[in-house]
Amino acid sequence: MKLGIVGLPNVGKSTLFNSLTKAGAESANYPFCTIDPNIGVVPVPDERIVKLGELYHTKKVTPAVIEFVDIAGLVKGASKGEGLGNQFLSNIREVDAIVHVVRCFEDSNVIHVDGSVDPIRDIETINLELIFADMEVLERRISKVTKAARMDKNAAKEEVFAKRLYEHLESGKLARTLETEDEDEILWRKEYNLLTDKPVIYAANVAEDDLADDGASNDMVAKVREFAAAEGSEVFVVSARVEEEISELDDDEKKEFLEALGLTESGLDKLIRASYRLLGLMSFLTAGEDECRAWTIKIGTKAPQAAGKIHTDFERGFIKAEVVNYKDLLEMGSLAAAREKGLVGMEGKEYVVQDGDVILFRFNV
């Protein structure tokens, strides 16, 4: 999973990226200090594989990972190359979802590029740039299919759809809010890879005092939540400065620090949960003496396709999946004991993998 972190300059975007990834991207109180996209790979905390690792006395525990791409501060006119816009917009095209950091705190020491703090205006500024960039993509596509439409019924159908989508964007709406009518339209949209078609998680960046009640008393956070609900996006409340402090602590110190703030989880934990929820993801597990590992898949994935996440040969030569729930396996103390109790299933090609399944794939190629 790859998440792109975007936001206007000085909203706390690079500070948040640094703390999430400990990658040390430069962070300063002026625009464009992030010139090239910084990339950080973060393990997804998962106590299930840790416990399985203890059970199997495994040599290696490998969590699932999320890749974060810190994309430099966008400004008005980015789609036309203002600031360093075009280069940044191309970086966003490569991600699965966008984490849009919006400033929901007042601080006279941190300048705002527009002179005042208004999260909805900031969201709309960036959305408009993404819309303009998408319209350029569609203009080129429409030009191409219009030529082919005279001789090709499918191209003629796509021309109608592309123009409908273009008008939708032209009216200031995002691509992901357009309803598709059939499988062809879904495939075309996917092919266009539009920026405004990507799912979004809004990171409401607040002062430390607003963390304990999850931003409930912050009017700006309330506006962001209302805005996000209308478009079906996720919101999580975070303090980039607090995350920066947390990132310097070991696990025990981190727990104490969070408790002192009245919190049960860090911003990174919140973001991971929101990402999995938004993208419809979950993890299945593999366990053994050599390695215990978490594998991220889409909810609803069938056993052969889950096997393919490990290796294409596993999917190609899939025979059966030996499946046990991780809780049952831990409770029984071994796979053999779980088998004796009838808790291990031999599943075929139609089996839909469940979150927390521990699977041993049988295959032959």
Side-chain angles (χ1 to χ4, degrees):
M1 176 163 51
K2 186 183 275 192
L3 302 179
I5 302 181
V6 304
L8 287 172
N10 300 333
V11 296
K13 181 177 60 66
S14 290
T15 303
L16 182 61
F17 171 82
N18 287 350
S19 54
L20 294 180
T21 65
K22 299 183 184 176
E26 184 185 0
S27 175
N29 185 23
Y30 55 89
F32 308 126
C33 68
T34 313
I35 303 301
D36 295 314
N38 291 276
I39 296 174
V41 177
V42 178
V44 175
D46 193 337
E47 65 171 13
R48 299 175 302 185
I49 52 168
V50 175
K51 288 179 178 176
L52 287 173
E54 291 167 357
L55 177 67
Y56 279 86
H57 305 293
T58 193
K59 294 171 189 169
K60 187 179 177 186
V61 171
T62 308
V65 295
I66 294 179
E67 190 173 310
F68 287 105
V69 183
D70 180 25
I71 296 160
L74 292 166
V75 291
K76 282 178 186 170
S79 61
K80 303 296 180 190
E82 287 297 317
L84 295 166
N86 283 334
Q87 171 187 338
F88 305 151
L89 291 169
S90 67
N91 292 325
I92 305 173
R93 290 199 191 279
E94 298 169 9
V95 303
D96 299 309
I98 294 170
V99 179
H100 188 159
V101 183
V102 286
R103 180 171 164 180
C104 295
F105 66 89
E106 297 282 0
D107 186 341
S108 58
N109 295 317
V110 181
I111 57 171
H112 190 287
V113 71
D114 286 330
S116 62
V117 181
D118 182 343
I120 303 306
R121 178 200 61 211
D122 293 354
I123 289 170
E124 289 173 344
T125 295
I126 284 190
N127 279 352
L128 202 54
E129 295 310 317
L130 302 184
I131 285 169
F132 287 150
D134 282 349
M135 286 170 70
E136 282 187 24
V137 170
L138 278 177
E139 280 166 11
R140 292 193 293 272
R141 185 70 177 209
I142 290 166
S143 175
K144 183 181 173 184
V145 296
T146 299
K147 289 172 187 171
R150 300 184 193 102
M151 305 291 291
D152 185 333
K153 284 183 180 178
N154 199 52
K157 183 183 174 185
E158 185 186 349
E159 181 189 11
V160 171
F161 170 69
K163 285 180 176 177
R164 179 161 66 91
L165 180 50
Y166 186 89
E167 287 168 9
H168 184 79
L169 293 168
E170 200 172 31
S171 68
K173 295 171 186 170
L174 307 176
R176 65 179 175 274
T177 63
L178 179 78
E179 287 189 22
T180 44
E181 293 174 0
D182 60 27
E183 195 66 35
D184 285 339
E185 293 188 353
I186 291 168
L187 290 172
W188 288 325
R189 257 172 70 160
K190 193 173 181 181
E191 198 178 321
Y192 301 158
N193 192 25
L194 299 178
L195 302 175
T196 62
D197 214 8
K198 294 185 183 294
V200 171
I201 303 165
Y202 293 104
N205 187 16
V206 300
E208 183 181 315
D209 294 346
D210 287 328
L211 279 179
D213 68 353
D214 203 34
S217 54
N218 184 316
D219 290 342
M220 289 185 278
V221 172
K223 287 176 183 173
V224 173
R225 282 186 167 133
E226 187 180 344
F227 185 93
E231 61 172 41
S233 296
E234 291 274 347
V235 179
F236 78 106
V237 174
V238 66
S239 168
R241 288 291 172 208
V242 167
E243 290 301 309
E244 194 172 38
E245 291 180 51
I246 288 172
S247 70
E248 302 300 323
L249 305 174
D250 64 32
D251 287 346
D252 289 340
E253 290 173 326
K254 174 179 156 183
K255 192 177 177 186
E256 286 176 20
F257 184 71
L258 288 171
E259 284 173 359
L261 292 173
L263 304 174
T264 56
E265 60 182 353
S266 69
L268 176 59
D269 296 332
K270 280 192 205 173
L271 174 54
I272 288 170
R273 276 197 299 105
S275 304
Y276 271 64
R277 200 162 51 236
L278 185 70
L279 294 170
L281 301 174
M282 65 176 201
S283 296
F284 74 91
L285 316 168
T286 53
E289 288 182 10
D290 288 335
E291 183 182 39
C292 288
R293 182 163 181 167
W295 304 85
T296 302
I297 56 171
K298 285 265 187 190
I299 292 169
T301 299
K302 291 183 178 179
Q305 288 69 50
K309 288 289 288 186
I310 300 173
H311 198 286
T312 51
D313 283 351
F314 284 29
E315 181 175 357
R316 193 159 51 91
F318 178 89
I319 300 170
K320 289 282 181 184
E322 196 169 6
V323 182
V324 59
N325 180 273
Y326 88 98
K327 286 182 181 173
D328 291 336
L329 179 55
L330 289 172
E331 196 176 314
M332 291 297 104
S334 72
L335 190 60
R339 278 197 197 103
E340 281 180 22
K341 290 285 186 182
L343 298 171
V344 180
M346 291 299 287
E347 306 293 350
K349 290 182 177 180
E350 294 304 308
Y351 177 72
V352 176
V353 176
Q354 303 299 306
D355 188 46
D357 276 351
V358 181
I359 306 180
L360 179 63
F361 292 106
R362 308 285 184 194
F363 71 102
N364 182 32
V365 288

